[in-house]
């Protein structure tokens, strides 16, 4: 295949992913074969309902996380967990796939009960979209966040790198860059797709087959970066 044909395919895939995101639909993003080599099921946070949480835990199987950009995280006082944990387990991180983890802390919405049910997690997740938008506009701060959410909880928060894909090219940054270009609130849900038979990450071919069966858009990280950066 020529580079022109590849570029056209990348553009079409990214266009489809952008259209899906704007419509509130999930998409599948494969990062890179030489990084995690994983495909994540990615949603705009504001579009997530209980059935979507059920899909993530049943069809994907990884951690259900909400990624927020660095500026929003700063406004809300959300740290990187490895910066604030004072425990031997938090020292000397040696990640084979990256230089640092994106994890912040975990939260539940204060109107939730246990926080773990599909309904409770959907409530927490979907509310994070308008919160992120308000925080970016300077209309919502850490005190507001503390009044609406409690920690620890059952939804993992991820903090994006300051310059997104220029600094780091994980699913956190890929999803947030996609949201920015799509013009939707800067909060996205990422959940790794796992293979029930092998216990490993779902292969790219199997992830693409899943996307085809369910009518979801699929894109490679390389193609996404080529079109968004």
């Amino acid at each position: 295949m020529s580079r022109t044909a590849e570029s056209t395919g990348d553009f079409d895939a990214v266009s489809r992913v952008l259209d899906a995101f704007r419509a509130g639909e999930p998409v599948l993003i494969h990062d890179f074969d030489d990084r995690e080599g994983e495909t994540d099921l990615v949603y705009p946070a504001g579009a997530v309902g209980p059935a979507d949480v059920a899909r993530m835990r049943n069809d994907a199987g990884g951690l259900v996380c909400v990624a927020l950009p660095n500026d929003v995280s700063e406004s809300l006082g959300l740290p990187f967990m490895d910066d604030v944990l004072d425990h031997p387990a938090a020292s000397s991180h040696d990640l084979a796939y990256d230089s640092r983890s994106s994890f912040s802390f975990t939260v539940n919405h204060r109107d939730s009960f246990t926080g773990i049910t599909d309904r409770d997690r959907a409530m927490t997740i979907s509310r994070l979209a308008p919160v992120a938008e308000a925080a970016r506009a300077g209309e919502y701060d850490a005190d507001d966040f503390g009044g609406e959410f409690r920690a620890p909880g059952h939804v993992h928060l991820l903090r994006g790198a300051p310059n997104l894909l220029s600094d780091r090219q994980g699913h956190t940054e890929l999803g947030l860059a996609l949201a920015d270009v799509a013009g939707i609130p800067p909060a996205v849900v990422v959940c790794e797709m796992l293979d029930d038979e092998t216990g490993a990450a779902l292969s790219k071919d199997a992830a693409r087959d899943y996307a085809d069966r369910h009518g979801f858009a699929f894109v490679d990280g390389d193609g996404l970066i080529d079109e968004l950066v």
Side-chain angles (χ1 to χ4, degrees), residues 22-41:
R22 292 180 182 120
E25 299 170 0
V27 302
L28 280 76
I29 301 176
H30 180 266
D31 62 348
F32 308 94
D33 291 328
D34 60 354
R35 192 178 181 279
E36 291 180 329
E38 293 178 352
T39 299
D40 279 23
L41 190 56

Side-chain angles (χ1 to χ4, degrees), residues 17-168:
V17 164
L18 284 168
D19 288 343
F21 240 46
R22 292 180 182 120
E25 299 170 0
V27 302
L28 280 76
I29 301 176
H30 180 266
D31 62 348
F32 308 94
D33 291 328
D34 60 354
R35 192 178 181 279
E36 291 180 329
E38 293 178 352
T39 299
D40 279 23
L41 190 56
V42 184
Y43 284 80
V48 168
D52 302 304
V53 177
R55 178 185 291 277
M56 284 185 274
R57 63 180 174 79
N58 287 317
D59 291 5
L63 283 178
V64 177
C65 303
V66 177
L68 300 171
N70 184 71
D71 62 317
V72 168
S73 299
E74 284 285 333
S75 296
L76 299 179
L78 304 177
F80 287 108
M81 280 306 295
D82 59 16
D83 286 341
V84 298
L85 280 177
D86 183 17
H87 188 279
S91 64
S92 301
H93 277 239
D94 185 15
L95 302 177
Y97 61 90
D98 212 324
S99 59
R100 79 172 302 162
S101 167
S102 292
F103 280 106
S104 186
F105 50 68
T106 56
V107 296
N108 288 340
H109 195 278
R110 289 190 182 272
D111 288 342
S112 66
F113 183 47
T114 64
I116 193 60
T117 63
D118 294 342
R119 176 187 173 278
D120 280 356
R121 279 196 280 181
M123 177 195 305
T124 299
I125 290 166
S126 61
R127 180 56 194 156
L128 285 165
V131 163
E133 198 166 39
R136 176 163 279 179
E139 299 169 354
Y140 194 103
D141 61 17
D143 289 335
D144 297 318
F145 191 86
E148 186 167 358
F149 299 88
R150 62 178 182 269
H154 292 86
V155 173
H156 295 264
L157 299 181
L158 305 176
R159 177 169 170 163
N163 297 304
L164 287 183
L165 296 171
S166 297
D167 290 346
R168 185 176 183 273

Side-chain angles (χ1 to χ4, degrees), residues 13-14 16-18 20-21 25-31 38-44 55-56 59-60 171 174-175 178 189-194 202-221 224:
V14 174
R16 187 178 175 210
V17 164
L18 284 168
F21 240 46
E25 299 170 0
V27 302
L28 280 76
I29 301 176
H30 180 266
D31 62 348
E38 293 178 352
T39 299
D40 279 23
L41 190 56
V42 184
Y43 284 80
R55 178 185 291 277
M56 284 185 274
D59 291 5
H171 283 103
L174 290 165
L178 188 63
V189 186
V190 296
C191 184
E192 304 94 338
M193 301 200 74
L194 306 179
L202 193 67
S203 71
K204 182 161 61 173
D205 287 343
R208 196 188 299 273
D209 287 344
Y210 176 90
D212 289 343
R213 289 198 309 273
H214 294 278
F216 294 155
F218 178 100
V219 70
D220 271 307
L224 194 58

